[in-house]
Amino acid sequence: EASVRDGTVTAGSVHGGVVVGLFDGFAPQPTLGGLLGLDLLLSGDLVFLPGDQGFDGSAFAWGYGVRLGILRESFTLPGITLSATRRHGDDVAVRPPGSSTEVSLRDMTTISLRGEVGKELWGLGFLVGAGWDRYEADAALRLDGISGGNPELGLSTAGFEADRALFFAGVSRTFVVWQLAGEFGWARGFGDGSADVPAFDAGEGSLFGTVSLRLTL
């Protein structure tokens, strides 16, 4: 069973995104197109954090960015894109059940860079890529029951920063306007002096995976 004390938490989420084509790119040859194509990316994410594990409500994040086309997918060539996005998230606070310690993150932002190569084969879309994420926030730690029960006693860190690289692959199948997709990958640990907490090694890499059903309008 997922638990903050065990270092893992299960949470549901809803994601939405909008892609606006700004420039289709150059096409010097019939089978070679999409050079320097540009898209505007907008996104919204709502994560339902479990209150029984000490989280304070849900968290919403919104983001924006651009995607640069290096090569548009064709019958003979794969599609290649580079993207850069920035997301802003709600404040998040967690106090594990039975604990006198509360950890909170405020003014959270995430900068993400991605490079992807994709190709459709045998009716399936295949994708491989690599990326880099940078996380920034103001972190605060509050300790109750110390120094006469002063509820404001704690430590705060302005400008907390951490970053990590990740690698991923995916496969998808499109049914008219619906797309069923699966993705898996590995993310490098934060390291770089990031503080460890019980049951969590900041320098240890982790596997991740997602299954999604997307509606394209």
Side-chain angles (χ1 to χ4, degrees):
E1 184 176 357
S3 169
V4 173
R5 291 185 178 276
D6 296 335
T8 60
V9 171
T10 299
S13 62
V14 176
H15 307 273
V18 176
V19 179
V20 180
L22 300 179
F23 178 57
D24 288 338
F26 300 100
Q29 297 181 15
T31 59
L32 182 62
L35 301 178
L36 301 182
L38 190 65
D39 297 325
L40 173 65
L41 309 177
L42 303 172
S43 66
D45 306 277
L46 180 61
V47 181
F48 304 100
L49 298 172
D52 60 350
Q53 294 296 330
F55 286 93
D56 183 15
S58 300
F60 177 75
W62 63 279
Y64 51 89
V66 294
R67 181 170 61 198
L68 178 66
I70 304 301
L71 188 65
R72 181 185 298 129
E73 181 182 351
S74 65
F75 181 75
T76 57
L77 298 173
I80 303 175
T81 61
L82 300 175
S83 64
T85 61
R86 183 183 180 91
R87 291 194 307 164
H88 300 264
D90 282 345
D91 297 346
V92 174
V94 58
R95 181 192 297 268
S99 173
S100 61
T101 302
E102 179 181 277
V103 178
S104 61
L105 296 174
R106 301 182 179 89
D107 298 327
M108 294 188 295
T109 60
T110 303
I111 299 174
S112 300
L113 304 179
R114 296 286 187 272
E116 301 179 356
V117 179
K119 187 74 173 74
E120 184 171 338
L121 298 169
W122 312 295
L124 298 174
F126 295 91
L127 175 73
V128 295
W132 176 84
D133 290 337
R134 183 173 186 83
Y135 305 89
E136 300 177 355
D138 292 335
L141 176 66
R142 192 175 72 180
L143 306 175
D144 294 341
I146 300 178
S147 297
N150 182 359
E152 300 301 326
L153 181 64
L155 302 174
S156 62
T157 301
F160 170 80
E161 300 176 349
D163 60 77
R164 64 177 180 177
L166 54 101
F167 307 90
F168 55 91
V171 61
S172 63
R173 178 66 185 271
T174 301
F175 306 91
V176 189
V177 297
W178 293 94
Q179 183 184 74
L180 179 63
E183 183 179 295
F184 65 93
W186 178 82
R188 181 180 65 85
F190 292 102
D192 302 328
S194 299
D196 292 339
V197 298
F200 177 71
D201 181 0
E204 182 179 357
S206 60
L207 297 173
F208 64 88
T210 60
V211 176
S212 62
L213 182 62
R214 303 168 184 165
L215 172 63
T216 302
L217 300 176

